[in-house]
Amino acid sequence: MAAVQDAPMELDAEKETKPEILSDGTSNLSGNTASGTLSSPPLTAGGAPKQEDQQTLIAVLQFLRRNKLTESVEILRREACLEDQEDSQTLDGSGGGKGDGDGGDANSLLSRVSIASAAAPQIISSTSMYDQPDVSVVLSAYSQQGDPSLYQVYYSSLKNFIESVLDCHRAELSQLFYPLFVHMYLELVYNNHENKAKAFFEKFSGDQECYYQDDLRILCGLTKKEHLKGNEALLDFRTSRFVLRISRDSYQLLKRHLQERHNNQIWNIIQEHLYIDIFDGMPRSKSQIDSMSGSFAGETRREVNKAKVFYGLLKEPEIEVPLDDEDDEAENEEGKPKKKKTKKDSMGSKSKKQDPNAPQQNRIPLPELKDSDKLDKIMYMKESTKRIRLGPENLPSICFYSFLNAYQGLTAVDFTDDSSLLAGGFADSTVRVWSATPKKLRKVKSAAELNLIDKESDDVLERIMDEKTASESKNLYGHSGPVYGVSFSPDRNYLLSSSEDGTVRLWSLQTFTCLVGYKGHNYPVWDTHFSPFGYYFVSGGHDRVARLWATDHYQPLRIFAGHLADVTCTRFHPNSNYVVTGSTDRTIRLWDVLNGNCVRFFTGHKGPIHSLAFSPNGKFLASGSTDGRVLLWDIGHGLMIGELKGHTDTIYALKFSRDGEILASGSMDNTVRLWDSMKAFDDMETDDFTAATGHIHLPDNSQELLLGMYHSKSTPVTHLHFTRRNLLLAAGAYNSQ
Amino acid sequence: MTEREERRFAEVPRESIKLMAESSGVELSEEVAALLAEDVCYRLREATQNSSQFMRHAKRRKLSVEDLNRALRWSNTETICGYGAQDALPFRPLKEGELFFVEDREINLVELALATNIPKGCAETMVRVHVSYLDGKGNLEPQGTVPTAVQSLSEDLLKYYQQITRAILGEDPHLMKVALLDLQSNSKIAALLPYFVYVISGVKSVSHDLDQLNRLLHMVKSLVQNPYLYLGSYVRSLVSSVMYCILEPLAASINPLNDHWTLRDYAALLLSHIFWTHGDLVSGLYHQILLSLQKVLSDPVRPLCSHYGAVVGLHALGWKAVERVLYPHLPAYWANLQAVLDDYSVSNAQVKADGHKVYGAILVAVERLLKMKALSLTLAAEGSGAGLPAGCPWEEWTPVSLPAMYCELYSFFGDSLAVRFSTGLPLGGQNSVHIMMITFCCFVLRAFLTGGLFLSRVCRSLARSSSSSVSRSRSSSSRPGRSTSQSRDIFPKARFPLPQAGPPAFSFIIGGRQMGRRCQGRRFQTSFSPTPPLTTHPPRAYAHKLPVIGRVSKPVRRWTCSHYSLHLPL
């Protein structure tokens, strides 16, 4: 969707520089290019820039120079203190003659670079970054080619071979079909063999796995070299190496076959465009492979998910809780429980001993608790003592919030944690906030009127509110495109909304006005989410990156680049140290807020991911996609641990109950389903072997785990929320057609 | 392009490209057109793919023009304007040019600007919450089944109320039909019931307007038929409104051209329906109705149309009511009626015509009384019918024997009284009853000539030969299932098939003065008089409401296949 005309130029640069350049901004370039050099007060920068960061910087400089942005070059140089290094680097590069020495040409190196920045931190020796990173160069890898008329012969001979091998190897080697097919087809298209490409497509497209249908649909329309240049998705496919995991035995078999037949064409493709992750041991079965494949870029490399993730919860701050015998009325009247005869919180005892998996309390700086936050925590604890213990025998009640007269325009919903407010984002660019309690919404009085208030009075907080403005709902106007994501701040003072107009807006729920418009994505922003501690928030959009922001910074603190397609869904980990993103490329990535690294990479979905939810203990992740399946992930081990089948349409909402026993999923198919998440987590086998190899055996037990299915009347479920007492709230727009 | 069927996507053919180019004045060679066509296809597909992403994020199933426009905008392409309408745009072929195009009608802006029916804005988006599932079990459906008269009206209910009343009392018959249907089936209008009852009680203020009265009666019927409504004490109010239509000398009756008779007939039917289905809600309702009917009948000052209403009302309430009220009162009333009928002066013509109406109505009622009584006696004699239902509280009343009753009636009506008995039904003890059809038919003919036309199926064959308008009315109104077979020995029945086993039935059709302007009154009647909805109700919904009083072991369904049907000829 990016501009067809100028996309090629930018695209490549985007690859190496993390797509900051996408924004017009010379200004944007100044501080935020590489994650290591981020300068933001709350976040301490993570050490000196490494070698690869310098490479990236140099690439950026070259790009700028080529585009005659001399000023920016100067600024960047100054800020990164690069003057000397760059020169020496250049000398180094040319002196080493890397391009020729490695046997691969510049292009393959380039592609490796892009992998490095995309998939995982991978140390590359100094690459020849001064080469012109241009689309034509990237594509020219396809120029070396065999006889186009023989492509069909090559492919079918490999197909015959794979079909003739032993069953155990066949399943593994069948993984080759799809990437080979795509690369060969693109090669034919690139070299203008249009008819041959069409014939090739006709002949072999039927063999591909059904979950690649979406990609094939894009592919089949693409018959000209010119088309290729404008298509970001396929450029990505080309530049990132498709990852396959094959056992050593199967790989040997394949290698021997190709060498015997002198099938160099295919061998070249495998060498250049595929990344084969070879493991020792038993080949995997077809079902094992199917459960992990389906993403746009192949599977996860084993080493990617090895990084340590601190998934534990932060220690709860110790708050003095008023005694239980103090009746609620008295406290409510005073607003603040000032005469509190206090005792130690019983709920806090759980979190007193430090969770070994928890990050350090100050791993990322968190905002200090205000008095009002403490009050809220007390309320939370009081509520949680009245919480209903859920389980297979004890299912939650469901309240449905139906949006009437939304005319198909409801695009996003969020509840506050205490379920007192409800926000809806609409296709007509508005955001509306409703009060879910009898308490009406009031604005703060105007400045002139505020001057007249007696500031010393006890009920000053009440006096500042303008009673005339009390109403059940408030409209927030400001966006100029459909609002795709809304998120309340934990303290209920702010609301975030992300929109098609490329901005994220921060609204005050005191004045019901827009406070900040965060610009940076420049393309539709699909989702945004507040950190559970406030202050930070994350957003993800069509520009294929997720950004971490702080509310008091107009520029992002981190840019999480790596997804090959739109970032459709973003969520904060309960301990606020991690961010998870789901994407149209059918993968999920977990990012470390501290250093911007991708620490987990999950594949297995067969469609774009539209919903994500962390379990309350932070150990597990649930994800839902357009294919109607919910997948469960163990964050610590980096493994898929469950698959919940049942929904027949896109899952737009996922939520764990407050204690994590029940997972609720809401879908476009007008149903809410409840799953026994405790059982799903208990059933999984996480022995060391599984953890080491990543070969999982998924029990097909969706039916056992399904606790209930609840139909709405022609209302797709857009959002789910558990109240503090474990009542399930669902929201969606009633659809009269 | 050879394996076209293999392709799973739309294509723009070269010819279209050429045509489009020509329309903008460019001549394209075959080659260029082919290249362009392919590129257009690709771009279209790309745009569609991209737009589907906007659809998914808007959480919709339907791709909209807006989605495509967004995709185009983000790829720096001009957006398409003018296709944002909600309704589907008709896509039409033009045979001569093999051209397909979207119809683009011209809009008269002046007309639009000066139009009086300014479209209202969309309703405000709102959120409503309800507990869908309690403890993960069951759906808590019931909403509006409890009488909620005290609760304040929500805004949407108020809007609904306004819309419905406006539609029913408005001009558009189609809209009225829709509104009535909804009123009949909507489960959430309990809160509005008092308001509707109030509207209906406005019959008194529109007694000059037959049309409005009719509409209000239809409203009553819809409310009564709504299975979700608990009428409670509102039955009394509804009954009094209906009784008003039956009995009062309406302002509309002053003009003899107004067919208030049909209205009274309809109201009487409605009364019996309310009574049969909701009579148990108000104690003593039956008694009260009978009393008021009796009062009207015994009041000689009242105009004849009121008397007619009383007779029709009694008839609708069943033969027992006739036996108890009309029959004992007949001797006294007969003298008055006779005086009217025997006055041949010109000034009396109108009153006399009305008198004939009453006469006819009494005759019908009495005839049915005789028949039903005979039947009930038979059943009692056989001992199979579980005896006579002893629901009536008037215990002190002693029944008159059938022969005595017949004799007395015969003394009033003479040969006009014709009772037909099926030859097939074993009706013992009926030998004393004479069958005198010819005189009855004479009466009918006479009634026809004097303006109020009573057409019995029996006399149709007779009337057909003499009046073309009658045969026309018959042909359009003959309704299978209604015809009776009782006359098979005497009258040809070729045109009226379906001999129906069952109790003796009698059906007649009233044609009025509006025969000439057939369209007006009829349209009403056709859409509402034989409404089936009652049969669609679950029988148990009414089971408990069935009145014990005067119930003659007949299902409530008698509303639809009534033995006595007042039906306007089509």
Side-chain angles (χ1 to χ4, degrees):
Chain A
M1 254 172 286
V4 175
Q5 287 79 6
D6 42 21
M9 280 303 284
E10 291 187 354
L11 258 176
D12 205 52
E14 184 187 325
K15 285 284 147 0
E16 279 100 11
T17 61
K18 315 218 163 163
E20 194 55 28
I21 301 177
L22 265 188
S23 55
D24 58 308
T26 45
S27 61
N28 264 354
L29 274 172
S30 53
N32 299 329
T33 327
S35 54
T37 55
L38 279 184
S39 54
S40 57
L43 286 180
T44 48
K50 285 184 232 153
Q51 184 81 344
E52 58 176 305
D53 294 329
Q54 285 184 17
Q55 299 293 337
T56 318
L57 278 176
I58 292 163
V60 174
L61 282 172
Q62 264 146 15
F63 174 84
L64 293 176
R65 217 177 281 148
R66 206 168 57 246
N67 287 296
K68 314 251 184 324
L69 297 165
T70 42
E71 255 183 69
S72 309
V73 172
E74 284 309 310
I75 295 168
L76 183 57
R77 274 177 175 238
R78 208 166 46 241
E79 299 224 340
C81 321
L82 266 179
E83 280 95 339
D84 314 317
Q85 292 166 11
E86 195 217 355
D87 290 343
S88 65
Q89 198 69 49
T90 315
L91 282 173
D92 239 338
S94 57
K98 270 295 175 190
D100 305 320
D102 254 7
D105 54 10
N107 311 302
S108 65
L109 283 172
L110 264 177
S111 70
R112 236 180 266 166
V113 170
S114 52
I115 288 273
S117 67
Q122 185 185 355
I123 306 299
I124 321 162
S125 59
S126 60
T127 42
S128 47
M129 291 305 290
Y130 48 87
D131 268 322
Q132 295 290 304
D134 208 50
V135 176
S136 60
V137 183
V138 174
L139 286 175
S140 70
Y142 279 141
S143 61
Q144 39 156 323
Q145 48 146 345
D147 185 352
S149 56
L150 288 177
Y151 270 45
Q152 289 199 25
V153 180
Y154 292 148
Y155 189 86
S156 50
S157 88
L158 181 74
K159 190 177 150 192
N160 289 338
F161 160 71
I162 291 177
E163 278 168 1
S164 68
V165 298
L166 284 175
D167 277 0
C168 59
H169 300 300
R170 191 194 303 152
E172 290 214 309
L173 293 180
S174 296
Q175 298 177 80
L176 278 169
F177 282 140
Y178 175 69
L180 278 180
F181 170 81
V182 176
H183 279 293
M184 289 172 87
Y185 178 76
L186 290 181
E187 220 162 285
L188 285 172
V189 169
Y190 183 80
N191 293 304
N192 295 322
H193 303 295
E194 191 181 327
N195 291 328
K196 298 220 171 52
K198 276 182 186 165
F200 184 78
F201 190 89
E202 292 294 337
K203 190 161 181 192
F204 299 113
S205 64
D207 301 341
Q208 310 306 327
E209 297 284 356
C210 55
Y211 38 79
Y212 291 120
Q213 280 306 315
D214 285 346
D215 297 341
L216 291 181
R217 212 171 293 137
I218 297 171
L219 217 55
C220 73
L222 190 140
T223 49
K224 295 248 186 299
K225 192 174 171 181
E226 290 74 36
H227 297 163
L228 204 55
K229 280 184 183 162
N231 197 317
E232 298 164 39
L234 291 170
L235 277 172
D236 285 339
F237 189 88
R238 162 67 193 75
T239 48
S240 66
R241 296 172 92 186
F242 198 90
V243 180
L244 298 169
R245 299 180 72 177
I246 293 182
S247 70
R248 191 170 296 285
D249 292 348
S250 304
Y251 181 70
Q252 297 292 354
L253 212 61
L254 174 74
K255 199 170 168 186
R256 207 178 311 133
H257 166 79
L258 292 176
Q259 280 169 355
E260 276 170 17
R261 297 291 181 87
H262 302 289
N263 202 340
N264 284 330
Q265 194 59 36
I266 289 195
W267 187 242
N268 282 344
I269 291 177
I270 290 177
Q271 290 286 303
E272 280 171 32
H273 300 303
L274 306 188
Y275 179 93
I276 298 187
D277 191 359
I278 300 160
F279 62 87
D280 295 307
M282 286 282 290
R284 293 185 296 167
S285 71
K286 174 96 175 105
S287 66
Q288 277 179 319
I289 293 168
D290 277 349
S291 66
M292 297 300 290
S293 55
S295 96
F296 193 69
E299 283 190 53
T300 319
R301 300 177 200 211
R302 265 175 305 166
E303 73 271 10
V304 173
N305 286 344
K306 291 287 181 251
K308 166 89 176 149
V309 174
F310 302 101
Y311 56 79
L313 298 185
L314 294 177
K315 205 166 72 172
E316 286 287 327
E318 286 184 10
I319 299 171
E320 297 177 330
V321 183
L323 279 173
D324 288 345
D325 55 3
E326 191 180 345
D327 57 346
D328 291 357
E329 284 77 17
E331 190 205 308
N332 285 347
E333 274 166 27
E334 284 147 35
K336 277 177 253 178
K338 48 186 179 183
K339 48 160 189 180
K340 48 188 177 188
K341 294 173 279 178
T342 54
K343 69 163 190 181
K344 291 292 178 196
D345 158 41
S346 59
M347 297 300 289
S349 60
K350 186 176 65 185
S351 50
K352 261 176 213 151
K353 49 181 187 297
Q354 176 76 28
D355 185 339
N357 292 308
Q360 286 218 319
Q361 206 70 13
N362 55 356
R363 187 163 178 269
I364 64 162
L366 293 172
E368 296 238 329
L369 280 183
K370 290 177 296 205
D371 280 354
S372 57
D373 296 329
K374 286 178 182 160
L375 263 180
D376 196 56
K377 285 250 186 272
I378 292 167
M379 281 307 290
Y380 175 81
M381 284 162 187
K382 282 197 159 183
E383 288 275 298
S384 54
T385 56
K386 297 174 187 164
R387 181 182 294 164
I388 297 165
R389 189 108 188 131
L390 297 179
E393 307 304 320
N394 199 7
L395 295 178
S397 302
I398 306 176
C399 267
F400 209 106
Y401 285 76
S402 310
F403 286 74
L404 305 174
N405 304 322
Y407 307 104
Q408 302 238 327
L410 181 73
T411 42
V413 181
D414 195 28
F415 284 97
T416 51
D417 186 70
D418 68 349
S419 319
S420 64
L421 295 176
L422 165 68
F426 291 85
D428 62 1
S429 315
T430 59
V431 180
R432 285 157 210 243
V433 185
W434 280 271
S435 167
T437 60
K439 201 177 152 198
K440 300 210 165 166
L441 302 175
R442 294 172 300 177
K443 288 183 189 176
V444 169
K445 286 178 184 165
S446 67
E449 288 174 71
L450 284 176
N451 274 332
L452 304 175
I453 293 175
D454 171 18
K455 283 153 195 91
E456 303 305 318
S457 68
D458 287 342
D459 57 347
V460 67
L461 286 178
E462 188 61 27
R463 289 191 184 199
I464 59 169
M465 306 312 286
D466 188 353
E467 207 53 52
K468 288 195 290 287
T469 60
S471 64
E472 270 179 34
S473 76
K474 293 266 183 238
N475 290 3
L476 305 175
Y477 300 107
H479 281 296
S480 59
V483 179
Y484 291 120
V486 287
S487 178
F488 279 107
S489 73
D491 61 3
R492 297 189 295 285
N493 282 327
Y494 305 104
L495 175 71
L496 277 173
S497 62
S498 69
S499 159
E500 190 248 11
D501 62 13
T503 62
V504 178
R505 280 177 186 272
L506 182 76
W507 308 85
S508 162
L509 297 181
Q510 301 295 335
T511 59
F512 293 98
T513 51
C514 183
L515 300 176
V516 197
Y518 300 95
K519 297 177 184 175
H521 278 289
N522 285 353
Y523 285 94
V525 189
W526 298 131
D527 199 9
T528 185
H529 191 234
F530 244 115
S531 149
F533 297 93
Y535 188 60
Y536 301 109
F537 65 92
V538 62
S539 65
H542 179 62
D543 58 359
R544 300 184 287 177
V545 296
R547 286 161 199 251
L548 178 85
W549 310 75
T551 47
D552 56 0
H553 285 62
Y554 66 92
Q555 288 175 339
L557 306 179
R558 296 282 180 276
I559 292 176
F560 305 116
H563 279 297
L564 298 180
D566 303 33
V567 176
T568 53
C569 188
T570 55
R571 284 292 175 273
F572 252 100
H573 190 275
N575 68 19
S576 200
N577 278 259
Y578 297 92
V579 160
V580 70
T581 55
S583 163
T584 310
D585 67 8
R586 308 189 283 271
T587 63
I588 298 161
R589 284 170 186 273
L590 186 74
W591 309 86
D592 192 337
V593 166
L594 182 67
N595 50 27
N597 285 337
C598 173
V599 287
R600 288 290 179 269
F601 181 53
F602 296 132
T603 62
H605 270 299
K606 315 287 190 250
I609 287 135
H610 276 274
S611 52
L612 291 164
F614 280 103
S615 68
N617 61 9
K619 271 176 90 172
F620 304 105
L621 175 70
S623 59
S625 84
T626 56
D627 59 11
R629 298 180 318 145
V630 178
L631 296 183
L632 301 174
W633 311 91
D634 180 344
I635 296 170
H637 294 96
L639 287 176
M640 187 196 296
I641 52 168
E643 180 188 24
L644 307 174
K645 284 185 277 195
H647 279 295
T648 56
D649 210 328
T650 307
I651 295 161
Y652 280 118
L654 279 172
K655 196 82 178 184
F656 281 95
S657 66
R658 291 282 174 164
D659 296 321
E661 306 99 334
I662 300 252
L663 172 66
S665 61
S667 154
M668 192 81 157
D669 63 12
N670 301 345
T671 62
V672 172
R673 285 169 208 245
L674 301 179
W675 310 88
D676 189 345
S677 51
M678 278 325 262
K679 186 164 154 53
F681 296 145
D682 290 343
D683 283 359
M684 65 160 187
E685 29 157 337
T686 43
D687 50 279
D688 291 341
F689 174 75
T690 321
T693 56
H695 299 170
I696 42 125
H697 260 299
L698 281 183
D700 188 15
N701 56 354
S702 296
Q703 283 314 306
E704 297 165 35
L705 296 177
L706 181 64
L707 296 177
M709 177 170 78
Y710 304 100
H711 286 276
S712 71
K713 184 177 162 191
S714 185
T715 307
V717 183
T718 315
H719 189 76
L720 290 169
H721 177 76
F722 275 98
T723 65
R724 289 172 174 178
R725 300 187 187 185
N726 265 339
L727 173 72
L728 179 55
L729 308 181
Y734 174 68
N735 205 341
S736 52
Q737 281 139 8
Chain B
M1 305 272 171
T2 47
E3 49 286 298
R4 190 174 285 263
E5 64 279 359
E6 287 279 309
R7 308 218 154 204
R8 281 161 296 177
F9 45 82
E11 281 187 2
V12 180
R14 245 171 290 176
E15 293 75 27
S16 296
I17 298 285
K18 284 178 93 173
L19 279 174
M20 283 176 220
E22 269 172 34
S23 72
S24 54
V26 186
E27 197 74 28
L28 287 183
S29 72
E30 196 70 16
E31 247 176 79
V32 176
L35 280 173
L36 264 179
E38 207 161 338
D39 198 58
V40 165
C41 286
Y42 174 73
R43 298 294 167 204
L44 271 179
R45 272 196 295 277
E46 196 184 35
T48 319
Q49 294 273 354
N50 292 339
S51 59
S52 73
Q53 203 163 17
F54 287 97
M55 175 192 74
R56 277 205 306 271
H57 281 282
K59 304 187 166 73
R60 269 184 279 116
R61 278 197 197 86
K62 220 189 233 170
L63 192 71
S64 70
V65 178
E66 185 70 358
D67 292 329
L68 195 71
N69 271 340
R70 290 193 191 288
L72 291 176
R73 200 175 310 145
W74 283 110
S75 53
N76 291 348
T77 313
E78 266 182 59
T79 56
I80 314 165
C81 299
Y83 291 85
Q86 291 289 317
D87 316 320
L89 293 165
F91 197 59
R92 289 172 185 267
L94 190 71
K95 280 213 179 87
E96 297 85 47
E98 282 192 20
L99 211 61
F100 294 84
F101 61 94
V102 174
E103 198 176 41
D104 195 6
R105 273 204 227 100
E106 280 182 20
I107 295 171
N108 188 344
L109 284 179
V110 177
E111 214 169 81
L112 198 68
L114 299 178
T116 46
N117 56 336
I118 299 159
K120 298 267 182 347
C122 300
E124 182 70 11
T125 304
M126 56 179 84
V127 186
R128 286 285 167 269
V129 61
H130 59 95
V131 177
S132 308
Y133 294 92
L134 194 62
D135 296 335
K137 286 184 277 295
N139 197 349
L140 295 186
E141 189 61 65
Q143 288 192 334
T145 49
V146 271
T148 48
V150 278
Q151 90 181 25
S152 64
L153 282 190
S154 67
E155 204 166 305
D156 44 356
L157 267 180
L158 207 62
K159 266 184 198 155
Y160 175 87
Y161 165 75
Q162 282 166 353
Q163 296 282 352
I164 287 284
T165 45
R166 215 170 282 157
I168 290 179
L169 300 177
E171 296 298 325
D172 188 353
H174 178 71
L175 208 60
M176 180 184 84
K177 204 188 278 187
V178 173
L180 286 172
L181 271 178
D182 189 65
L183 209 56
Q184 205 171 306
S185 54
N186 199 321
S187 60
K188 293 172 183 165
I189 53 170
L192 286 175
L193 183 61
Y195 295 81
F196 284 128
V197 170
Y198 178 72
V199 168
I200 289 163
S201 70
V203 281
K204 295 175 182 91
S205 56
V206 290
S207 76
H208 59 280
D209 191 345
L210 276 181
D211 213 0
Q212 295 286 13
L213 285 175
N214 235 320
R215 285 159 187 264
L216 287 173
L217 285 182
H218 284 305
M219 203 158 154
V220 176
K221 188 184 170 195
S222 292
L223 287 178
V224 169
Q225 290 192 329
N226 190 325
Y228 303 103
L229 280 183
Y230 176 81
L231 293 180
S233 55
Y234 291 113
V235 167
R236 205 180 286 275
S237 173
L238 288 179
V239 162
S240 81
S241 295
V242 174
M243 292 279 276
Y244 180 85
C245 291
I246 299 177
L247 295 176
E248 286 310 307
L250 304 171
S253 352
I254 293 166
N255 185 351
L257 290 175
N258 276 338
D259 187 32
H260 56 101
W261 309 103
T262 318
L263 179 81
R264 290 175 200 276
D265 292 339
Y266 182 72
L269 258 183
L270 201 54
L271 179 69
S272 83
H273 181 58
I274 297 175
F275 175 67
W276 286 117
T277 52
H278 295 82
D280 53 336
L281 294 179
V282 182
S283 61
L285 184 68
Y286 187 66
H287 196 127
Q288 280 171 19
I289 295 174
L290 288 191
L291 264 182
S292 53
L293 289 175
Q294 191 181 22
K295 216 175 116 195
V296 170
L297 204 59
S298 58
D299 187 355
V301 184
R302 292 249 180 182
L304 283 168
C305 52
S306 293
H307 291 155
Y308 174 85
V311 174
V312 177
L314 284 170
H315 181 75
L317 287 174
W319 63 274
K320 281 179 179 289
V322 175
E323 190 179 10
R324 253 151 253 190
V325 179
L326 181 60
Y327 177 69
H329 193 67
L330 210 51
Y333 187 70
W334 189 252
N336 295 330
L337 188 61
Q338 199 65 40
V340 171
L341 291 178
D342 287 343
D343 188 351
Y344 286 94
S345 66
V346 180
S347 61
N348 193 42
Q350 185 55 46
V351 180
K352 193 170 160 235
D354 290 358
H356 278 297
K357 276 288 223 187
V358 181
Y359 180 88
I362 296 177
L363 191 64
V364 169
V366 161
E367 192 189 35
R368 186 177 147 83
L369 165 66
L370 282 177
K371 259 195 301 177
M372 294 311 296
K373 196 164 168 64
L375 187 69
S376 69
L377 284 175
T378 322
L379 291 176
E382 286 174 8
S384 62
L388 282 165
C392 182
W394 292 13
E395 306 295 351
E396 71 278 13
W397 182 77
T398 45
V400 186
S401 74
L402 182 63
M405 185 184 279
Y406 181 69
C407 286
E408 196 183 343
L409 288 174
Y410 187 70
S411 70
F412 291 125
F413 292 94
D415 287 348
S416 303
L417 183 67
V419 182
R420 291 152 293 133
F421 290 97
S422 163
T423 49
L425 278 171
L427 293 171
Q430 303 305 311
N431 298 334
S432 61
V433 178
H434 304 284
I435 303 173
M436 280 169 279
M437 289 309 301
I438 304 302
T439 44
F440 180 56
C441 290
C442 285
F443 157 69
V444 167
L445 211 56
R446 193 173 58 178
F448 170 62
L449 292 174
T450 51
L453 169 61
F454 272 70
L455 257 189
S456 86
R457 170 141 301 148
V458 180
C459 72
R460 267 197 205 126
S461 52
L462 190 74
R464 187 175 48 204
S465 57
S466 61
S467 162
S468 64
S469 70
V470 175
S471 73
R472 196 176 47 191
S473 72
R474 188 227 48 238
S475 62
S476 53
S477 71
S478 70
R479 300 165 53 80
R482 287 286 169 88
S483 69
T484 56
S485 59
Q486 273 70 35
S487 60
R488 73 173 67 141
D489 296 328
I490 307 164
F491 298 102
K493 61 178 177 79
R495 297 292 183 92
F496 314 109
L498 50 117
Q500 199 181 36
F506 176 75
S507 69
F508 70 95
I509 290 161
I510 298 175
R513 285 192 189 82
Q514 91 278 32
M515 282 289 284
R517 348 166 283 165
R518 305 181 335 149
C519 299
Q520 288 183 345
R522 174 170 29 104
R523 202 164 35 185
F524 260 4
Q525 213 68 4
T526 44
S527 46
F528 289 101
S529 67
T531 29
L534 190 65
T535 55
T536 62
H537 294 159
R540 58 175 171 75
Y542 280 130
H544 68 284
K545 292 184 184 171
L546 278 178
V548 192
I549 309 164
R551 197 180 152 204
V552 203
S553 67
K554 294 250 162 45
V556 194
R557 208 165 291 168
R558 52 192 298 146
W559 170 262
T560 42
C561 50
S562 163
H563 291 268
Y564 129 109
S565 110
L566 293 170
H567 185 256
L568 207 62
L570 293 171

